[in-house]
Amino acid sequence: MFEKLNSRSAEIIKQSSTVYNLKWKRNIEFLLFGYENSCSGWYYILKNNEQISPTYHYSEINDIFLKNLQRIIDDIESGKYNNKKTPSEKIRMIVEERGLYSLMNNTKWKELISAIKEKTPDIPIKYKILFEEEAPTYYWTMAGDEYFEYLNMKSVEWFKISCEIKEIKHRGRLIEDKVIIYDKKAEICEVLKNFNISYEYDEIENAFIIYGYKC
């Protein structure tokens, strides 16, 4: 189907039944992926190897779909995405505007998240990213947060880890539920100290705060 598309000045990096990858000299790429023996898949735009468009999904290949792809290619060719900021550029701009400095890096975030998943996977967490104006109110879990696996940890302003896991046991309609609280403060503290991660302790919420950035 890709033979019907005009790649303009882009270099065709890869073209097959399941992958279509174009790259421009401005380091902007268009990537389309499809499932084997299927007419469905997804596509997006990259700049400097960072995604700068939403991930678009498709479920049918027809003339309308191909016209839409050609429109995107033509938009890239015309320079529409030249000045679009990458996630890293947006983060750097916010950090500079607010006078923040970094306290964490990808290695430390990875060590921390991996250790928590291994030792206390059900521990409640919440976090605020730089692009959010308001902090989240509720705690969640890593497994229960569908966006967490795709989160760019460079964008995390702060990360809170609750010290308590609550288990509710239902004992019937006429008897009040029993709440069992498991204190994980010692385990979490050990993880933070093992990886030499700076933290503050929130007495009110009984939670550790790890700052990605601070004033």
Side-chain angles (χ1 to χ4, degrees):
M1 68 170 178
F2 301 124
E3 288 77 12
K4 297 181 180 180
L5 297 173
N6 186 335
S7 61
R8 305 303 185 195
S9 66
E11 177 187 359
I12 300 176
I13 303 298
K14 187 169 185 179
Q15 179 174 327
S16 68
S17 60
T18 57
V19 180
Y20 185 55
N21 183 197
L22 302 178
K23 187 170 184 177
W24 281 259
K25 290 182 179 180
R26 299 180 294 274
N27 212 20
I28 296 177
E29 294 182 63
F30 172 74
L31 288 94
L32 181 145
F33 300 92
Y35 298 104
E36 195 74 43
N37 301 319
S38 172
C39 292
S40 62
W42 66 100
Y43 55 94
Y44 52 81
I45 300 167
L46 294 179
K47 181 180 178 183
N48 297 329
N49 295 319
E50 293 186 65
Q51 190 169 333
I52 58 172
S53 77
T55 298
Y56 300 101
H57 296 270
Y58 66 92
S59 57
E60 183 180 1
I61 298 174
N62 52 32
D63 288 341
I64 295 175
F65 171 68
L66 292 174
K67 285 181 180 178
N68 187 48
L69 293 188
Q70 187 63 59
R71 179 185 58 78
I72 293 174
I73 292 170
D74 292 344
D75 283 344
I76 298 173
E77 181 75 19
S78 69
K80 180 178 178 179
Y81 293 90
N82 287 4
N83 297 321
K84 193 170 181 65
K85 289 182 171 53
T86 64
S88 292
E89 290 171 332
K90 291 178 181 177
I91 290 169
R92 186 162 57 249
M93 184 175 67
I94 293 173
V95 168
E96 290 174 357
E97 286 178 350
R98 293 176 55 188
L100 302 174
Y101 61 92
S102 176
L103 291 170
M104 290 285 282
N105 56 43
N106 281 341
T107 300
K108 284 191 175 293
W109 279 126
K110 186 176 181 180
E111 290 172 341
L112 174 61
I113 300 306
S114 297
I116 292 173
K117 284 182 176 179
E118 180 182 344
K119 293 181 177 292
T120 55
D122 297 326
I123 202 74
I125 64 160
K126 66 178 174 180
Y127 52 88
K128 180 183 179 296
I129 62 174
L130 291 168
F131 308 119
E132 295 175 330
E133 292 187 7
E134 296 183 2
T137 305
Y138 301 102
Y139 281 88
W140 207 243
T141 63
M142 292 183 188
D145 184 345
E146 59 181 312
Y147 301 106
F148 189 79
E149 291 296 327
Y150 308 100
L151 182 64
N152 179 3
M153 297 305 292
K154 288 182 180 179
S155 69
V156 175
E157 184 172 349
W158 53 255
F159 186 81
K160 278 191 179 183
I161 310 171
S162 173
C163 295
E164 297 178 347
I165 295 178
K166 294 182 181 180
E167 180 183 351
I168 300 176
K169 290 194 173 184
H170 299 288
R171 299 189 290 181
R173 291 189 301 173
L174 303 178
I175 305 176
E176 187 177 349
D177 292 340
K178 183 178 181 181
V179 179
I180 303 174
I181 297 177
Y182 300 96
D183 187 351
K184 298 293 181 178
K185 185 175 181 179
E187 288 96 322
I188 298 167
C189 190
E190 182 183 7
V191 168
L192 295 172
K193 288 181 178 179
N194 283 345
F195 295 112
N196 196 28
I197 295 174
S198 300
Y199 63 87
E200 292 182 9
Y201 185 71
D202 187 330
E203 296 282 353
I204 297 175
E205 296 190 19
N206 190 20
F208 289 99
I209 314 172
I210 297 90
Y211 285 97
Y213 300 90
K214 229 179 177 186
C215 293

